[in-house]
Amino acid sequence: MDKFTRIDGLVAPLDRANVDTDAIIPKQFLKSIKRSGFGPNLFDEWRYLDHGEPGQDCSNRPLNPDFVLNQPRYQGAQILLARENFGCGSSREHAPWALLDYGFLAVIAPSFADIFFNNCFKNGILPIVMNADEVDRLFKETVATEGYRLTVDLEKQLVTTPGGHGIKFEVDAFRKYCLLNGLDDIGLTLQNADKIKAYEERCKIEAPWLFV
Amino acid sequence: MSAQTLYDKLWQSHVVHTESDGTTLLYIDRHLLHEVTSPQAFEGLRLAGRKPWRLSANLAVADHNVPTTGRAQGIADPISRLQVETLDDNCASFGITEFKMGDVRQGIVHVIGPEQGATLPGMTVVCGDSHTSTHGAFGALAHGIGTSEVEHVLATQCLLQKKSKTMLVRVEGALGMGVTAKDVALAIIGRIGTAGGTGYAIEFGGSAIRALSMEGRMTLCNMAIEAGARAGMVAVDDTTIDYVKGRPYAPKGDLWDQAVTDWHTLVSDADAQFDSVVDLDAAAIKPQVTWGTSPEMVVSIEDKVPDPALESDTVKRGGIERALAYMGLQANTPMTEIKIDKVFIGSCTNSRIEDLRAAAAVAKGKKVAANVKLAMVVPGSGLVKLQAEQEGLDKIFVEAGFEWRDPGCSMCLAMNADRLEPGERCASTSNRNFEGRQGPGGRTHLVSPVMAAAAAIAGHFVDVRQLQGS
Ligand code: SF4
């Protein structure tokens, strides 16, 4: 998992409440044997005019011109601005995989569904809970200003607008530590690598038949 | 030190590190892999630039998607084929030993581990598959894990775990003729229910368990998960050690002697305390048949389909009614009057040599009934198949009208081409009778291998004891 410290990123506004994980990545893509490569199918049903199937080349599918992520001004966005209850529905970890593969590193919303919220941290995405008025203000500024960017500083727990307005956010201390250090569960366990090696050395003496 | 259960001993000997809240980093000795739950784990490793911690701890095999006929033509379904090819590629690129489809050692992951001696007493064994509990038959701590844990084990050789409670299921006395480990497993689940073991690691003990062969113990531990327990286990004795001896992955020479001394300690201490104890009388267990859509919906062959009207609990009554509707059964029908369309002898529960011998003994010199459209025998591994053929079991089956197939999971979960059509009724030696498990709309009755063979001959369920007695 990559470290998350501070980003200065283009913002894309997704102005809908209750965006569920089936919308984020529709179920037909779960047959995949991969956890990468979901980016082209992020929001598949909203993004394209035709029906998507796994394994398709998405580059020549008809794009829905009305879908916000298809507008040229939002290409390369790293911060997704969203409404209430983002990520509700099925627990599929494919949803954060798809967001990450598309290029999003942070999602700002007034509230998130619980499992999705957890899954984001496991995959190095920062979900930021912000009060609805602030989110609303960011929506307005994003739409009004082409090339609107925000800085997200995890260490300081601060989102800053181009106008210099700073918005503090809360994050669980342990999760913050993991993100700042790029530690997933495996990364955390590997901090105990010396203990694992010591265990193996002891075991090689006590139960050598397990190491042939 | 105070008296310990087998589970306590296995747990304690694998602790690498314990956090203040009891979360424990547990060392994993053996990691088995198959094609369905491993691809994202390998990809996660690759994305993070990690390598397997200890290659020699891993062993992989394709089993869920492989065809049981016409292997020379490869796998027809492209999605199945891709999963199997992905396993091949991942094992090749990371350097993990894999038994491929053409290898005589290929088979169901829970059959080949023990068969190869890759499952040893005292080990922790995990696999991205819930029936990993099977391996507990060897006095090992074995349970299923999810895909993110598969990646965790690959990368660290450890798992983050919290300790379970312990349950002793004690079966004393002698099993009657025609009554097998499968019947014991179903009788236990019928008694404690499919959630009865939730949160527990179950140890199966008592004289009836000690009298079981390793095949029988594996059948029993296989179904621990159907009782809600992630792990089931049986203490080590001479039966265990005799089975392991001489297998390809088992220790040899001095190491063998050293190991055996250690393995003899893998029993619960006489005065060890369990959080829960369940007692069963072996002599009272009769051949079992499930009637519903959960393994706990089970009765003996002498019984009738239950009557929901007699159930006072409205939730349970609703459950019975729904199950009977799905299964197409009338209340109070004697189990022996239920006709079947198909028979499946196989799965990680009952596809080992002893299972096939027992079924063949029932089928010998008889014919599959005319109303049975398909009776198939799917050995658990290429080596089981080979041995059965050397003993002439394949001929007995084929002459009786059974199909003799190549090894794999097959109609246990119908991920390959073997499946029930909607409404078809099957006598199956597998472990799950959930709706649609053997194909959409398919109706599964779980039974032992001898009961399945007897049903194939009669065309309906029948008490195998009467057949054997005559
Ligand atoms: S035989 Fe059935 S239960 Fe066993 S591993 Fe295969 S699919 Fe799972």
Side-chain angles (χ1 to χ4, degrees):
Chain A
M1 202 166 93
D2 290 336
K3 286 182 189 181
F4 188 112
T5 47
R6 184 176 179 280
I7 54 171
D8 170 13
L10 189 69
V11 183
L14 185 64
D15 199 356
R16 314 186 185 209
N18 301 310
V19 172
D20 64 74
T21 52
D22 203 46
I24 297 173
I25 183 80
K27 62 178 176 299
Q28 64 267 34
F29 301 104
L30 309 192
K31 284 187 209 162
S32 165
I33 51 164
K34 299 196 171 291
R35 78 167 75 185
S36 60
F38 293 103
N41 300 110
L42 177 72
F43 301 119
D44 197 275
E45 280 169 17
W46 295 341
R47 197 162 146 198
Y48 302 98
L49 292 171
D50 63 347
H51 174 78
E53 277 297 328
Q56 236 174 346
D57 177 5
C58 294
S59 61
N60 42 32
R61 290 174 61 195
L63 291 173
N64 173 5
D66 296 334
F67 183 57
V68 63
L69 290 189
N70 287 335
Q71 295 178 24
R73 58 181 285 197
Y74 297 123
Q75 298 315 299
Q78 289 181 302
I79 299 169
L80 185 67
L81 198 55
R83 297 289 189 185
E84 292 81 23
N85 199 25
F86 188 79
C88 57
S90 114
S91 65
R92 62 191 65 167
E93 205 163 325
H94 304 67
W97 293 346
L99 286 165
L100 195 65
D101 195 63
Y102 182 90
F104 286 118
L105 296 173
V107 185
I108 300 173
S111 61
F112 291 89
D114 198 40
I115 298 174
F116 173 82
F117 191 72
N118 284 323
N119 282 342
C120 281
F121 284 102
K122 271 194 208 165
N123 289 280
I125 297 176
L126 177 63
I128 299 172
V129 181
M130 197 179 276
N131 82 48
D133 293 342
E134 292 284 15
V135 171
D136 209 43
R137 164 185 178 152
L138 294 184
F139 262 103
K140 290 200 179 102
E141 290 185 4
T142 304
V143 173
T145 326
E146 190 150 344
Y148 186 83
R149 301 174 80 84
L150 288 171
T151 60
V152 177
D153 190 324
L154 178 57
E155 181 64 58
K156 295 196 186 117
Q157 298 179 215
L158 190 69
V159 172
T160 312
T161 68
H165 174 63
I167 308 157
K168 289 283 281 180
F169 61 88
E170 293 301 318
V171 58
D172 177 79
F174 176 69
R175 283 168 161 158
K176 176 176 174 179
Y177 169 80
C178 290
L179 272 185
L180 283 174
N181 294 286
L183 297 170
D184 48 18
D185 279 3
I186 294 176
L188 278 175
T189 295
L190 287 174
Q191 287 191 324
N192 283 314
D194 289 347
K195 290 192 178 121
I196 304 173
K197 285 189 189 127
Y199 174 90
E200 286 180 328
E201 291 313 313
R202 202 168 70 235
C203 209
K204 278 177 194 166
I205 295 163
E206 289 169 8
W209 58 89
L210 291 173
F211 287 83
V212 288
Chain B
M1 193 168 42
S2 62
Q4 288 184 302
T5 64
L6 170 59
Y7 174 72
D8 295 330
K9 293 180 186 183
L10 291 168
W11 175 272
Q12 195 186 326
S13 63
H14 288 87
V15 172
V16 172
H17 173 69
T18 307
E19 300 285 348
S20 51
D21 69 348
T23 304
T24 297
L25 198 57
L26 207 65
Y27 191 80
I28 302 303
D29 298 311
R30 178 66 67 202
H31 184 206
L32 302 165
L33 297 117
H34 64 83
E35 77 275 22
V36 180
T37 52
S38 65
Q40 277 98 354
F42 279 115
E43 198 191 10
L45 274 194
R46 214 172 262 127
L47 287 175
R50 291 182 175 126
K51 287 200 170 61
W53 177 276
R54 190 179 140 212
L55 279 176
S56 65
N58 298 282
L59 180 61
V61 71
D63 55 5
H64 285 63
N65 282 281
V66 299
T68 56
T69 52
R71 287 225 170 143
Q73 286 95 58
I75 305 174
D77 173 18
I79 292 179
S80 289
R81 187 169 63 234
L82 182 61
Q83 277 199 326
V84 173
E85 287 171 354
T86 303
L87 181 69
D88 293 349
D89 293 348
N90 281 326
C91 289
S93 70
F94 283 101
I96 288 172
T97 306
E98 184 199 1
F99 298 161
K100 293 198 189 181
M101 210 164 78
D103 192 317
V104 70
R105 299 170 297 178
Q106 180 268 339
I108 304 170
V109 66
H110 309 307
V111 174
I112 66 140
E115 183 173 78
Q116 291 296 318
T119 301
L120 294 174
M123 274 185 165
T124 41
V125 181
V126 297
C127 172
D129 189 283
S130 59
H131 291 98
T132 309
S133 58
T134 310
H135 308 261
F138 289 81
L141 177 55
H143 59 76
I145 54 178
T147 293
S148 53
E149 289 177 312
V150 169
E151 184 182 341
H152 195 278
V153 172
L154 278 169
T156 70
Q157 210 52 50
C158 292
L159 266 186
L160 284 164
Q161 293 283 294
K162 283 209 171 156
K163 211 171 169 186
S164 305
K165 292 180 285 181
T166 53
M167 178 185 285
L168 174 63
V169 175
R170 198 162 38 196
V171 191
E172 296 288 356
L175 293 175
M177 189 190 58
V179 181
T180 69
K182 181 63 162 284
D183 303 301
V184 177
L186 288 169
I188 292 168
I189 296 165
R191 163 83 82 83
I192 70 173
T194 49
T198 304
Y200 291 95
I202 298 181
E203 177 175 347
F204 299 99
S207 55
I209 307 302
R210 283 197 299 281
L212 287 176
S213 65
M214 285 315 293
E215 283 88 346
R217 294 176 190 185
M218 284 188 255
T219 300
L220 193 58
C221 290
N222 175 273
M223 295 201 65
I225 184 72
E226 268 23 275
R230 281 176 84 199
M233 64 197 76
V234 176
V236 172
D237 60 11
D238 289 341
T239 305
T240 324
I241 290 166
D242 292 346
Y243 182 97
V244 172
K245 189 164 193 183
R247 296 193 177 262
Y249 282 70
K252 314 264 174 333
D254 284 351
L255 277 183
W256 170 260
D257 298 335
Q258 214 181 321
V260 168
T261 309
D262 181 82
W263 294 343
H264 276 301
T265 67
L266 297 173
V267 295
S268 288
D269 296 333
D271 43 355
Q273 292 296 312
F274 289 83
D275 296 306
S276 172
V277 178
V278 176
D279 280 298
L280 272 85
D281 174 10
I285 299 174
K286 296 168 186 163
Q288 306 280 304
V289 187
T290 64
W291 53 266
T293 51
S294 159
E296 70 186 13
M297 293 175 159
V298 64
V299 290
S300 95
I301 184 67
E302 296 174 357
D303 292 328
K304 294 175 178 165
V305 173
D307 187 345
L310 300 179
E311 177 59 61
S312 52
D313 181 328
T314 54
V315 176
K316 280 192 190 153
R317 190 187 314 140
I320 297 173
E321 283 166 352
R322 262 194 311 282
L324 293 186
Y326 180 84
M327 294 296 289
L329 291 174
Q330 295 298 323
N332 300 313
T333 308
M335 294 309 288
T336 49
E337 285 179 13
I338 300 173
K339 288 204 164 118
I340 54 168
D341 305 302
K342 287 185 175 169
V343 176
F344 171 61
I345 298 178
S347 89
C348 58
T349 316
N350 282 125
S351 64
R352 298 178 182 83
I353 189 68
E354 184 181 272
D355 301 314
L356 304 191
R357 283 183 194 136
V362 172
K364 190 168 187 176
K366 310 241 173 52
K367 291 279 178 220
V368 169
N371 63 303
V372 174
K373 293 182 232 169
L374 171 71
M376 60 195 293
V377 185
V378 185
S381 73
L383 289 170
V384 169
K385 184 175 190 230
L386 196 65
Q387 187 177 350
E389 287 170 355
Q390 283 163 357
E391 295 180 15
L393 304 183
D394 59 323
K395 291 205 183 59
I396 294 174
F397 284 123
V398 170
E399 276 164 19
F402 288 83
E403 291 195 14
W404 180 247
R405 298 287 186 95
D406 284 326
C409 294
S410 181
M411 209 158 72
C412 173
L413 90 165
M415 242 179 126
N416 70 355
D418 309 335
R419 64 187 56 182
L420 297 180
E421 298 302 322
E424 280 183 342
R425 187 179 301 287
C426 180
S428 177
T429 66
S430 55
N431 44 44
R432 284 184 177 151
N433 51 350
F434 302 156
E435 289 187 17
R437 170 78 176 183
Q438 294 192 290
R443 294 162 173 167
T444 303
H445 295 264
L446 303 177
V447 287
S448 72
V450 286
M451 284 288 286
I457 304 303
H460 54 84
F461 291 109
V462 58
D463 192 336
V464 69
R465 295 172 299 179
Q466 287 164 9
L467 233 69
Q468 288 179 324
S470 62

